[in-house]
Amino acid sequence: MLPRHLQSLGRTWVAHAEYPPSFYRSRHMFRCPWWAGQQPWPPYPHFNSWHPPVIWRPHHFCGPSRTRYQGPPCNPWNAPPSSWVHFSNVNMSSKGEEPMPKRMKCTEEDVLGRKPSPNRSYSPTNDFRVPPLHEASDFPIPDHDGVKASTRGKIKRRWEDFGHDFSEMSKVLVNRENQHANTQAPENFDFTVMSYNILSQDLLEDNCHLYKHCRRPLLFWSYRLTNILQELKQLDADILCLQEVQEDHYRTQIKPSLEALGYHCEYKTRTGRKPDGCAICFKSSKFALMSVKPVEYYRHNIALLDRDNIGLVLLLQPKAERDTQAVCVANTHLLYNPRRGDIKLTQLAILLAEIAGVALLKDGGFCPIVLCGDFNSVPGSPLHRFIKEGMLNYQGLTIGKVSGQEQSPRGQRILSIPIWPKSLGISQSCVFEPQPKQRLAKTGDSLEEETVQKIAEETASDTKMESSLQHHFRLSSVYSHFVPETGVPEVTTCHSRTAITVDYIFFSAKNTISAQPGTEFSCSGLQLLGRMSLLTEQDLWSVNGLPNENCSSDHLSLLAKFRLKI
Ligand code: KL2
């Protein structure tokens, strides 16, 4: 008998092909201004900023300022690979973080397809009844506006099983259907973690030009909520790290639905009255909550830190048969702006410092860490390498290159040394600046004198290694970011303007030690048992990109299974 989350994963996990061109010319067509006069399927070569393979997308994926392709209509998938070309997405803007003057907020009419009532504030749940999750045994895909869930164009996401050896993971790829029964011994504690940016409705409406490839009814919140809750229920992860969770939807719909499924939910809203935030929800049957640390990156007295992104760090005690270590789970959504790598790195440093505080053990080591989120940085970028390698020499690095989101980055300023001012109180090793005695007094911890000494020495050495950052954790990524058999890049987000990886689950792997020179903290780790496979950009455009009928965010969910040895 498979455990519950594996049973549900054994079902076919699908995304569906979209409707024929005639559909898009019909009344269903999304009513954003840039639709006017556009033909539905002539080819347009679109190039994302990171992935070398070349992708064709319909021309309506391009922004208003982009030159239209003038050639004959044809099916892009029939084009020979040799005709594929790659160029960078010069139109990627940073609006949302730094609004551009031309930015248009989509109206309610754009999204709902009807005029708003003067006496009614927008409440998507008024439009369609969303059954509470616990009421719906067989959660139906809603039938809106004549749109029924199609059975065409299924894409399977496989369960990849790594058996017992993480180093063997690229060799062992097993379909979920073949997944053997869970053999959890009493000395093991196995658990699953999901990271999922669910696309807040507010951001969808703010950036609706990114979703003009979607049929309008698929963008209704009620439709998307139903699908998202369905997905969460089916995958049944023990820990959910969700990003872009809109505060009102969290309070009235998401939290109650997840509580009914046995989750305890913690939430941190973005600062600056932003309407969304991050949630960490865990199965109360599997974990007890030890501590909650909401993390704000905004600092009123530091010009660099004027953005409203946040993080959330929990310490969870496994409810195992025997005594076990706690697990530190962190979730974040870093700044989007592709130009501002300086801000992204500083936000990350704050989060790492907070994690170090939460995960620190009495012996000076760290408990196992799972770090999830949308880092708005691509694999191989300096920010991504810093997380994985524990070290980054940033001398001469321009701020636009930190995240790798753009091939021709516009942030030309070189990172200052140090990147953030001393007044932030965080060292170049991403720990809170010494005051170790103060911190000890505050937390009541009895850290060994030796550890205190190490932190002080490390801070002193900061001045010597000024243009390099370090952190204390050796983190591995659950995903390898390329399809093992073909080398084609995987993506975690896909909409009109881009298809890249920005979401990750990092974890402290078993038997690793801190990368910090001179401070060899032991860091007990986790064994990766399996993961849900990602998809390529080509896979996703074969079902009309994201969101689509079955996947209702512009991100894919990430899911991993870990083992904690007791
Ligand atoms: O890339 V994201 O989507 O992780 O899926 O994170 C940000 C972007 C999110 C929060 O700021 O809003 C999205 N172009 C594309 N996406 C944008 C833009 C933009 N100009 N502004 C905000 N977002």
Side-chain angles (χ1 to χ4, degrees), residues 91-98 100 103 197 199-200 203-204 206-207 209-211 243-244 270 274 276 309 333-338 374-376 405 493 495 497-498 500 502-503 553-555:
N91 280 333
M92 181 186 278
S93 79
S94 57
K95 65 191 172 184
E97 313 288 356
E98 287 179 359
M100 286 168 47
R103 175 177 173 190
N197 178 326
L199 177 58
S200 91
L203 283 170
L204 181 152
D206 270 2
N207 298 296
H209 60 286
L210 303 177
Y211 311 108
Q243 304 88 38
E244 286 196 29
R270 284 204 283 162
K274 293 284 188 305
D276 67 294
N309 308 81
H333 188 181
L334 297 186
L335 181 74
Y336 165 74
N337 192 331
D374 177 342
F375 293 79
N376 272 312
Q405 285 157 293
T493 182
H495 53 59
R497 291 282 178 89
T498 195
I500 52 175
V502 292
D503 305 278
S553 171
D554 59 349
H555 291 245

Side-chain angles (χ1 to χ4, degrees), residues 344 375-379 381 383-384 402-403 405 501-504:
K344 290 178 202 245
F375 293 79
N376 272 312
S377 302
V378 306
S381 63
L383 187 139
H384 174 256
V402 168
S403 69
Q405 285 157 293
T501 284
V502 292
D503 305 278
Y504 302 89

Side-chain angles (χ1 to χ4, degrees), residues 67-88:
T67 314
R68 287 258 305 275
Y69 174 79
Q70 300 297 322
C74 71
N75 178 349
W77 301 113
N78 293 337
S82 58
S83 68
W84 295 355
V85 218
H86 189 270
F87 63 81
S88 84

Side-chain angles (χ1 to χ4, degrees), residues 377-399:
S377 302
V378 306
S381 63
L383 187 139
H384 174 256
R385 279 193 284 112
F386 172 53
I387 296 176
K388 281 192 69 176
E389 294 167 12
M391 174 87 81
L392 176 70
N393 185 338
Y394 60 85
Q395 192 159 24
L397 183 63
T398 56
I399 57 172

Side-chain angles (χ1 to χ4, degrees), residues 7 47 93 137 151 178-179 187 191 305 350 401 436 452 461 464:
Q7 286 171 26
F47 310 95
S93 79
S137 56
T151 52
N178 300 333
Q179 176 73 35
E187 65 272 19
F191 62 100
L305 288 169
I350 296 173
K401 284 197 176 143
V452 174
S461 73
K464 289 184 216 142

Side-chain angles (χ1 to χ4, degrees), residues 56 60 100 114 155 162 251 302 308 366 505 531 557:
W56 283 94
H60 62 254
M100 286 168 47
R114 54 159 172 64
I155 298 183
F162 306 134
R251 211 172 359 91
I302 300 179
D308 293 309
F366 298 102
I505 302 177
R531 68 185 176 204
S557 55

Side-chain angles (χ1 to χ4, degrees), residues 48-55 84 86 378-379 479-493 499-501 534-540 556:
N48 71 41
S49 54
W50 174 254
H51 298 144
V54 178
I55 312 290
W84 295 355
H86 189 270
V378 306
Y479 290 92
S480 50
H481 315 304
F482 295 89
V483 178
E485 301 90 339
T486 61
V488 174
E490 298 168 338
V491 300
T492 64
T493 182
I500 52 175
T501 284
L534 288 171
L535 298 171
T536 66
E537 179 173 10
Q538 184 165 347
D539 291 334
L540 286 168
L556 292 173

